[in-house]
Amino acid sequence: MIGSEYGEQSEGAHPSPDGRYQVRVNKSNIFIETSDGKRFDWFDSGSDWGPRAMDFSPDGRFFAVAVPDSVIIYNFHTKNPRALISKQLINIRFSDDGNYIVGEEFLEHRSGRFVTFNVHTGKRTTSPTPPTVEDRSDPKIWQSDELAIVNKGRRVIAAGVDGYFVWSVSDRHLTWMPCGCQPTGAAVDRKAHRVAYMLPEGRISLWRTSDRREISRWKLPKAVDHGREQIYAGAAMAFAEGRDYLLTYFLDKGEVWALPKGEFVGSWKGSTK
């Protein structure tokens, strides 16, 4: 699901990566259906404010939803939702093997901290508060656009406007990697191999995290709205699961790009819901 905030997405169905299930949200109620729309299970998130973020594990075992005071992990095999206590999480993501979750806590007037959870033991680890990042929109507060957790829960990449953080979980060390390209948004693949930045002039900048350098850059098709060319602020991106593609979406049109060079593969028009 790309191109909209979670509150807008909640009106539609959210499919699992394996295509077996889909989730619908109605305020505090989380309804789980099979792919043909039949009721499989449901649970109450306990929050009248509704979820702030959610994710499926790629292996199809778990579904996680973040609410103001916890992250709830639902097991598809046991039909058992389990809450792990945490402060307000505004972003969550499973590791590629489904054994860990990384989240970002909201801290008022400061950049948020990153939190990891062991899905099986519930062990929680919190990062130091990130240092101030000179973000153009707000010099005090930086929030990630997307997270990734790898190396058996020992390494986290948090990508956002102006760069990405690398968190070495074992020694609690945070490293800031600015891109110097003034992007309006960012995405990181689940295996934390690549970070993509959306540039305001309608270009994609693709970085490799292993040597922390840009490996390709390409231009998106021109965006036209009511006859006027638009700036690409607000465009969305997502790495395809298990495939070497990047998806981009702006206004009512999306594109598929083959990586690493950014070769155009195809496009679609319409809502992302």
Side-chain angles (χ1 to χ4, degrees), residues 248-263:
T248 59
Y249 186 82
F250 185 66
L251 298 176
D252 64 344
K253 185 178 180 181
E255 293 90 23
V256 183
W257 308 91
L259 302 179
K261 294 183 179 180
E263 298 164 327

Side-chain angles (χ1 to χ4, degrees), residues 16-222:
S16 62
D18 59 11
R20 296 178 60 192
Y21 302 101
Q22 58 187 18
V23 170
R24 297 181 187 272
V25 178
N26 181 8
K27 294 184 179 178
S28 66
N29 294 320
I30 312 295
F31 297 100
I32 300 171
E33 303 171 345
T34 55
S35 58
D36 57 3
K38 294 181 180 179
R39 179 69 56 82
F40 177 78
D41 199 8
W42 76 279
F43 63 91
D44 191 332
S45 70
S47 170
D48 292 335
W49 294 94
R52 301 294 302 274
M54 67 179 190
D55 193 28
F56 290 93
S57 65
D59 57 15
R61 290 181 297 167
F62 303 108
F63 167 74
V65 56
V67 294
D69 61 354
S70 63
V71 56
I72 301 172
I73 302 172
Y74 178 86
N75 187 320
F76 283 98
H77 296 160
T78 65
K79 294 189 175 183
N80 178 39
R82 181 167 58 108
L84 303 178
I85 303 302
S86 182
K87 295 181 179 179
Q88 289 200 54
L89 293 174
I90 56 175
N91 203 349
I92 59 171
R93 202 178 193 191
F94 276 99
S95 60
D96 187 57
D97 61 10
N99 292 324
Y100 299 90
I101 290 177
V102 60
E104 182 181 5
E105 287 186 340
F106 173 77
L107 298 179
E108 192 172 1
H109 307 308
R110 282 301 308 271
S111 299
R113 294 176 300 195
F114 309 118
V115 185
T116 68
F117 300 91
N118 184 307
V119 171
H120 307 286
T121 67
K123 181 181 177 181
R124 178 180 183 273
T125 306
T126 305
S127 77
T129 302
T132 299
V133 175
E134 293 299 327
D135 190 307
R136 298 180 308 282
S137 61
D138 190 325
K140 296 180 180 178
I141 298 176
W142 184 92
Q143 292 181 357
S144 67
D145 287 331
E146 195 164 40
L147 304 165
I149 180 169
V150 294
N151 295 358
K152 297 182 179 180
R154 294 192 292 264
R155 185 169 182 259
V156 167
I157 299 288
V161 173
D162 288 342
Y164 65 90
F165 277 105
V166 181
W167 174 26
S168 177
V169 177
S170 58
D171 61 12
R172 294 177 53 80
H173 184 69
L174 284 168
T175 303
W176 171 241
M177 294 301 303
C179 72
C181 52
Q182 298 185 332
T184 60
V188 56
D189 69 298
R190 198 180 291 271
K191 293 186 176 181
H193 291 161
R194 296 169 180 148
V195 172
Y197 296 104
M198 178 72 68
L199 309 187
E201 70 272 19
R203 292 184 182 273
I204 300 294
S205 174
L206 185 68
W207 286 55
R208 187 166 53 211
T209 60
S210 59
D211 52 7
R212 301 175 182 180
R213 70 181 184 91
E214 185 182 64
I215 56 175
S216 63
R217 184 179 290 204
W218 67 91
K219 188 170 179 60
L220 298 174
K222 285 186 177 181

